[in-house]
Amino acid sequence: MSGTADSVLLDVRDLRTHFFTRYGVAKAVDGVSFHVREGETLGLVGESGCGKTVTSLSIVRMVPRPAGRIVGGEVRLAGENLLEMDEKEMQRVRGRKVAMILQDPMMSLDPVFSIGEQVAEPIRWHQKVTGSALWEHVVSMLRLVKIPAPDVRVREFPHQMSGGMRQRIVGAIGLSCQPRLLIADEPTTSLDVTIQGQFLQLLSELKEQRGLSMILITHNLGIVAWVCDRVAIMYAGRIVETAPVVEIFHRPQHPYTQALIGSVPRFGQRVRRLTAIEGQPADVRQLPPGCSFHPRCPHAKDVCRREYPPERALGPQHRVSCWLVDGQGHD
């Protein structure tokens, strides 16, 4: 369950992250604002290349340099602006206050170190635990994420684990220092459907046990419906709609949100042709004037091609950026 309005843990305001390349400036994140409350799971949803992962990397200050730079905005975690911290201060925040699970566990795990050594590293760094107490903590973390025979697995290496177990190990590393915020960047993409369900169930259980706040980055709307409290829909580096999960599925307002939901096949419903979103995602190096979605939008008006729409509140937690909402569009 999501917390109250007074219990905001993460507050992102007008975040802008650009990549400066020889081909031009790519505005990967271009004025993103959202918040996450204590104990809440926010789903960040959109097509590949819309800026979801860059947003998460910006929060933990791990944007690839030298091309990538955070050029504006605020990222406040429990009231502290992470963008004003130096690297030494951020090293104390990563893992202890905010942790991240990446899409591919083999990109997170070092093949030359044992599982135990890799789970132990953040505990040793942040909590200064050593000796037998450290290894007891490591084994308890593996047991927490339901790794079988943790006292044996602790001495094994990543290549000896299945994909699902490797993802659980990454989860154990992320949770080892009891962070307040967990960012999971498409954590089930490399897993088969059965293991996906088990891992998501595990995340949900750990969230309840530890009172975690979580950002779940995905393009799978089925996962969103199961796990998330609220959803933020991203397109071309901006959030175009935010609402509680039930409202997003039953009353989507932005044409892009409607297209995403409409492209999901319905169980038991026979169709001659699957619905697709026409056109290609916007190039963040050369965004069109006006609303970035207008070249693909079947309802676009002249105003959509001229001006980017302001954000409009449709309810206490439902906000959308679209000229067409409530008859705003006009020729």
Side-chain angles (χ1 to χ4, degrees):
M1 296 294 292
S2 55
T4 65
D6 297 328
S7 61
V8 171
L9 175 64
L10 178 73
D11 190 10
V12 178
R13 303 177 186 174
D14 198 29
L15 179 63
R16 299 174 186 272
T17 302
H18 298 173
F19 287 82
F20 297 83
T21 74
R22 68 181 67 181
Y23 305 107
V25 178
K27 297 180 180 179
V29 178
D30 192 23
V32 163
S33 298
F34 63 89
H35 66 270
V36 182
R37 298 184 179 92
E38 296 274 6
E40 180 182 48
T41 299
L42 175 73
L44 203 54
V45 179
E47 294 170 290
S48 296
C50 72
K52 305 185 301 294
T53 296
V54 177
T55 298
S56 66
L57 292 175
S58 301
I59 292 171
V60 295
R61 297 265 303 278
M62 294 181 65
V63 177
R65 295 186 67 88
R69 299 178 212 163
I70 301 172
V71 299
E74 294 182 357
V75 177
R76 293 192 174 274
L77 181 66
E80 295 182 287
N81 189 357
L82 303 186
L83 302 188
E84 293 179 348
M85 294 182 177
D86 59 31
E87 183 55 31
K88 190 172 183 180
E89 290 174 312
M90 276 304 302
Q91 287 177 358
R92 290 195 288 266
V93 170
R94 296 188 198 106
R96 187 167 65 89
K97 294 184 178 181
V98 55
M100 191 168 177
I101 298 176
L102 298 177
Q103 178 175 343
D104 184 357
M106 287 306 285
M107 296 295 290
S108 305
L109 299 174
D110 192 320
V112 303
F113 290 99
S114 71
I115 294 302
E117 290 170 322
Q118 296 186 62
V119 177
E121 183 179 7
I123 303 170
R124 187 186 294 116
W125 172 265
H126 289 294
Q127 300 183 350
K128 311 302 179 186
V129 181
T130 58
S132 60
L134 173 62
W135 291 103
E136 287 175 8
H137 193 160
V138 170
V139 171
S140 71
M141 289 306 305
L142 296 186
R143 188 175 292 115
L144 179 71
V145 297
K146 300 183 179 179
I147 295 292
D151 50 338
V152 174
R153 295 289 188 178
V154 75
R155 294 186 290 272
E156 295 184 349
F157 291 81
H159 72 273
Q160 296 175 276
M161 305 282 183
S162 67
M165 290 181 69
R166 284 195 291 262
Q167 195 63 285
R168 290 174 186 231
I169 297 297
V170 173
I173 294 172
L175 295 169
S176 60
C177 296
Q178 299 186 347
R180 298 180 66 183
L181 175 67
L182 180 67
I183 302 173
D185 185 2
E186 301 198 28
T188 61
T189 299
S190 59
L191 308 179
D192 63 50
V193 174
T194 302
I195 303 302
Q196 277 186 25
Q198 293 175 359
F199 185 73
L200 290 170
Q201 182 63 36
L202 175 64
L203 278 183
S204 297
E205 291 172 3
L206 294 174
K207 173 178 173 287
E208 293 298 323
Q209 292 172 13
R210 299 201 161 203
L212 276 173
S213 298
M214 191 160 65
I215 298 175
L216 180 64
I217 298 171
T218 183
H219 55 263
N220 188 324
L221 290 170
I223 291 175
V224 168
W226 181 15
V227 176
C228 298
D229 299 306
R230 284 189 306 121
V231 189
I233 306 293
M234 282 195 76
Y235 186 79
R238 296 183 179 183
I239 290 178
V240 297
E241 186 168 6
T242 307
V245 165
V246 173
E247 201 156 347
I248 278 285
F249 279 92
H250 289 89
R251 201 166 68 93
Q253 295 297 302
H254 198 282
Y256 180 58
T257 309
Q258 295 168 355
L260 285 177
I261 294 172
S263 63
V264 178
R266 302 294 193 276
F267 182 75
Q269 180 180 354
R270 297 183 64 181
V271 294
R272 297 185 63 183
R273 182 179 179 183
L274 294 175
T275 303
I277 304 175
E278 299 295 333
Q280 296 296 321
D283 185 347
V284 293
R285 293 173 302 177
Q286 297 177 321
L287 291 173
C291 174
S292 303
F293 187 63
H294 85 254
R296 308 173 70 187
C297 179
H299 312 294
K301 308 280 188 177
D302 285 346
V303 68
C304 304
R305 301 179 181 93
R306 294 194 309 266
E307 302 174 45
Y308 194 85
E311 188 177 66
R312 181 181 180 88
L314 303 182
Q317 298 187 67
H318 195 163
R319 306 185 74 86
V320 63
S321 297
C322 181
W323 290 112
L324 303 171
V325 172
D326 290 343
Q328 290 183 83
H330 54 273
D331 289 323

